[in-house]
Amino acid sequence: MPRDATSRSRPSWRILCGLLAAAGSVQASPFYAPPPPAEDAKTFSGEAELGYTRLSGNTDSQTLIGKGRLTWLTGKWTHTLRVEARNVARNGDTSAEQYLLAGRERYELEGPHYLFGFARWEKDRFSGYDQQVTSIGGYGRDLVDSEHQRLSLEAGPGVRHDRIREEENETLAVAYSALAYEYDLSGTSALTQELSVEATDDNTTSRSLSSLTARLNSRLALKLSHEIKHNSQPPETAEARTDHTTSASLLYSW
């Protein structure tokens, strides 16, 4: 996540409401427990998001965010593939740079139960890691699936390989848990909260994503979100333990 998207480039975030994006159906991130596919869910769907802001004058800063996701259903399986890139620059100097590639599988069991597995590669220039590769699998349960609200929980073991700059690489066992909650405020707006925790012997990585989505029509929606990533004990070369990303996006779904 952009390590200083809040602290170093505050002016650009103040005008982030001008961010324009093109995106597809609003679905949970591969990092968090997703709700079950709807009965009328499309066999194949996708989303793409491109955001850019620039501020010039006393401060010269720019923010570029690109995201993409493909989701397809085969029987009881839900497959998801996601890519993401973010870059923040201020006065000509790059202050945040992140790349991510993730794939996720969900297999429906009888009742509100499911099995899942995901793999994720991420590279954050200012996190202290050269790159990280994580693989996790486990069991999930849909606790609430009503007309207006949905709640899913999941947990499982995994493994993470850390390539650390100027240090020996590490391979760590991971204990993972996550939840996703969605509440329909009206027929055209929804509030979601997603949380995940990945604990190892060296540190614990926590992620939170809060978002409010308001549908403009059958294809377009406005989404406001705030994402937090916290590493309890990052490498010494990391610039901060907590990253904040606040964004406003125009979503396009098909």
Side-chain angles (χ1 to χ4, degrees):
M1 289 171 209
R3 182 155 301 277
D4 54 0
T6 298
S7 60
R8 293 191 176 188
S9 301
R10 290 185 183 276
S12 67
W13 293 110
R14 289 174 183 172
I15 64 169
L16 196 56
C17 57
L19 174 67
L20 295 180
S25 57
V26 181
Q27 302 176 16
S29 157
F31 309 128
Y32 311 99
E39 294 182 0
D40 58 348
K42 298 179 180 178
T43 301
F44 182 85
S45 62
E47 70 176 34
E49 177 178 344
L50 179 63
Y52 179 78
T53 60
R54 180 177 179 84
L55 180 67
S56 60
N58 293 329
T59 300
D60 185 5
S61 64
Q62 62 182 10
T63 300
L64 176 64
I65 300 176
K67 301 179 183 179
R69 182 184 297 131
L70 295 176
T71 300
W72 63 101
L73 308 177
T74 55
K76 294 184 177 182
W77 290 92
T78 300
H79 318 278
T80 305
L81 178 65
R82 180 181 179 182
V83 295
E84 180 176 326
R86 306 187 190 195
N87 183 281
V88 178
R90 184 178 185 184
N91 295 327
D93 296 325
T94 299
S95 54
E97 184 177 351
Q98 181 202 28
Y99 305 96
L100 179 146
L101 174 64
R104 182 182 177 100
E105 301 288 340
R106 170 178 170 136
Y107 181 78
E108 302 297 329
L109 300 174
E110 294 297 328
H113 313 280
Y114 66 91
L115 300 177
F116 75 93
F118 70 82
R120 180 183 70 234
W121 171 86
E122 57 185 329
K123 183 179 181 67
D124 186 340
R125 179 176 172 183
F126 298 94
S127 66
Y129 299 98
D130 181 56
Q131 63 180 17
Q132 293 178 288
V133 178
T134 306
S135 180
I136 292 174
Y139 163 80
R141 180 183 175 91
D142 303 314
L143 296 182
V144 179
D145 186 12
S146 64
E147 181 180 358
H148 297 291
Q149 57 183 336
R150 289 156 293 281
L151 173 64
S152 300
L153 299 176
E154 66 183 27
V159 63
R160 190 182 76 206
H161 179 73
D162 297 339
R163 182 178 294 179
I164 307 174
R165 301 187 186 99
E166 301 179 358
E167 295 184 24
E168 293 185 2
N169 298 338
E170 294 184 339
T171 300
L172 303 168
V174 177
Y176 163 87
S177 61
L179 69 82
Y181 176 75
E182 181 177 354
Y183 181 76
D184 294 333
L185 300 173
S186 68
T188 59
S189 61
L191 178 67
T192 62
Q193 176 63 56
E194 304 173 8
L195 301 168
S196 74
V197 177
E198 298 174 16
T200 71
D201 288 338
D202 286 357
N203 53 43
T204 298
T205 301
S206 305
R207 307 172 195 258
S208 170
L209 175 62
S210 306
S211 62
L212 175 64
T213 304
R215 186 156 297 282
L216 304 177
N217 54 43
S218 60
R219 293 291 185 180
L220 293 175
L222 177 65
K223 181 178 181 181
L224 307 176
S225 66
H226 182 70
E227 188 169 358
I228 303 171
K229 179 183 176 182
H230 175 76
N231 188 334
S232 64
Q233 193 63 42
E236 294 183 358
T237 55
E239 296 195 4
R241 295 187 178 187
T242 304
D243 300 330
H244 296 264
T245 302
T246 302
S247 63
S249 302
L250 183 63
L251 307 178
Y252 175 76
S253 50
W254 70 91

